[in-house]
Amino acid sequence: MASSEEDGTVEEKENNNKRRTKSALATAWLTFYNIAMTAGWLVLAIAMMRFYIQKGTHKGLYRSIARTLKFFQTFALVEVGHCAIGIIRTSVIVTGVQVCSRIFMVWFITNSIRQIQNEESVILFLVVWTMTEITRYSYYTFNLLHHLPYFIKWARYNLFIVLYPLGVIGELMTIYAALPFVRRSGIYSMRLPNKYNVSFDYYYCLIIVMLSYIPLFPQLFFHMLRQRRRVLHGEVIVEKDD
Ligand SMILES: CCCCCCCCCCCCC[C@@H](O)CC(=O)SCCNC(=O)CCNC(=O)[C@H](O)C(C)(C)COP(=O)(O)OP(=O)(O)OC[C@H]1O[C@@H](n2cnc3c(N)ncnc32)[C@H](O)[C@@H]1OP(=O)(O)O
């Protein structure tokens, strides 16, 4: 009897130690990840400002920062993994939609359709994304280090109220501007007849993507409003399961 109690205690201690090591490792990785992402988006912000100050125009700005943008935005896929393995208490779906829609914008719209790279709407979403990500990743970093300045917390849970709709406007205007070029070039489309007997029209796919903002964006926005109430006003929020 005594020995089984002792066994239980030893097992419990081992489990606790394992859990502590896991959580220390997760915290170390997340701190590194968030510092790297803050730095990446700061580099992008500085590169954009330098370009504009030197050239006095936004034309050519996208091309000048394209590589860095593609790298850091694509790397954000790791965040979906964080949610999936449970080191972050956020919905995989919410994070997945947010990250995938950005990656889609970068790779399958702005990077693929050169003719739209100098549109003002591209600059709009780039500036908005950059401001958001510098605030968001620095919030996570300082939070993990237990030294969170109030203005960063305030910015994280207030700026999105303006930045989220602005970002969406920039993204939708960019996709809209891409439509005529997609139709003319037939990029990523498959017309019949072909050996697979399959047809796919990227033009209509983009229209569906634009329409999908109508049900999806409010969900992301209201999720952030709930987070805001929880963090800034201490409200207990019961989230529905994925
Ligand atoms: C394939 C084709 C797809 C086509 C789809 C087309 C439809 C798309 C519609 C979608 C439109 C999106 C448009 C968008 O791109 C426009 C913009 O982004 S504009 C710029 C403004 N944007 C924002 O403000 C973004 C706001 N969104 C987010 O912050 C995140 O993406 C979101 C996933 C929504 C955040 O939600 P989350 O639940 O993570 O909120 P919190 O930040 O409050 O975090 C919750 C807790 O998790 C901890 N956490 C999260 N991440 C980390 C991390 N990296 N490191 C450490 N800790 C982290 C956080 O601290 C919280 O912890 P606690 O609960 O303890 O406080």
Side-chain angles (χ1 to χ4, degrees):
M1 187 69 180
S3 93
S4 89
E5 264 173 26
E6 267 169 29
D7 283 353
T9 321
V10 170
E11 217 170 90
E12 249 169 46
K13 272 186 191 162
E14 269 178 10
N15 283 343
N16 282 344
N17 280 345
K18 269 188 206 158
R19 233 173 281 145
R20 243 174 270 140
T21 317
K22 255 193 196 168
S23 112
L25 271 177
T27 308
W29 160 250
L30 284 175
T31 309
F32 167 78
Y33 172 80
N34 291 315
I35 291 174
M37 293 302 267
T38 311
W41 285 94
L42 271 172
V43 166
L44 275 167
I46 293 166
M48 287 198 275
M49 283 192 287
R50 269 184 56 185
F51 184 96
Y52 195 77
I53 291 166
Q54 281 171 3
K55 310 267 170 167
T57 173
H58 69 278
K59 297 205 166 101
L61 189 150
Y62 175 79
R63 278 246 66 83
S64 74
I65 53 126
R67 276 178 71 166
T68 321
L69 173 71
K70 282 186 278 184
F71 178 81
F72 284 101
Q73 189 53 64
T74 310
F75 201 62
L77 267 177
V78 168
E79 273 162 64
V80 184
H82 291 161
C83 305
I85 61 173
I87 59 173
I88 293 296
R89 283 183 295 141
T90 301
S91 143
V92 179
I93 295 178
V94 172
T95 309
V97 171
Q98 172 70 56
V99 172
C100 293
S101 70
R102 291 266 195 98
I103 289 177
F104 183 79
M105 268 319 290
V106 171
W107 286 99
F108 294 98
I109 306 285
T110 324
N111 194 61
S112 304
I113 303 148
R114 283 170 179 252
Q115 294 90 331
I116 52 134
Q117 288 173 356
N118 288 331
E119 292 285 328
E120 274 98 355
S121 57
V122 171
I123 307 303
L124 174 61
F125 78 71
L126 283 181
V127 170
V128 165
W129 287 10
T130 308
M131 288 173 71
T132 303
E133 299 306 42
I134 292 172
T135 316
R136 186 165 76 94
Y137 290 117
S138 50
Y139 167 84
Y140 295 146
T141 307
F142 287 115
N143 202 20
L144 285 167
L145 298 173
H146 304 293
H147 279 91
L148 179 63
Y150 184 75
F151 80 93
I152 293 189
K153 184 172 173 176
W154 183 92
R156 162 72 183 133
Y157 289 104
N158 280 298
L159 292 185
F160 80 90
I161 297 172
V162 176
L163 294 181
Y164 231 162
L166 280 180
V168 167
I169 292 171
E171 292 174 24
L172 287 176
M173 283 172 64
T174 305
I175 304 178
Y176 184 73
L179 286 175
F181 300 105
V182 170
R183 176 158 251 183
R184 223 173 295 147
S185 66
I187 185 173
Y188 301 137
S189 300
M190 273 176 100
R191 303 252 151 83
L192 285 171
N194 60 57
K195 65 175 175 180
Y196 305 105
N197 214 16
V198 172
S199 104
F200 174 75
D201 199 324
Y202 190 51
Y203 177 84
Y204 290 109
C205 171
L206 288 188
I207 292 176
I208 293 170
V209 167
M210 288 174 83
L211 290 175
S212 70
Y213 275 66
I214 299 169
L216 294 176
F217 171 61
Q219 304 212 29
L220 294 177
F221 192 75
F222 285 114
H223 170 80
M224 282 306 294
L225 284 179
R226 281 195 296 273
Q227 295 294 72
R228 178 178 187 273
R229 288 208 306 273
R230 181 177 67 86
V231 178
L232 294 185
H233 305 296
E235 280 182 34
V236 179
I237 311 280
V238 182
E239 289 265 8
K240 275 191 257 161
D241 276 354
D242 285 345

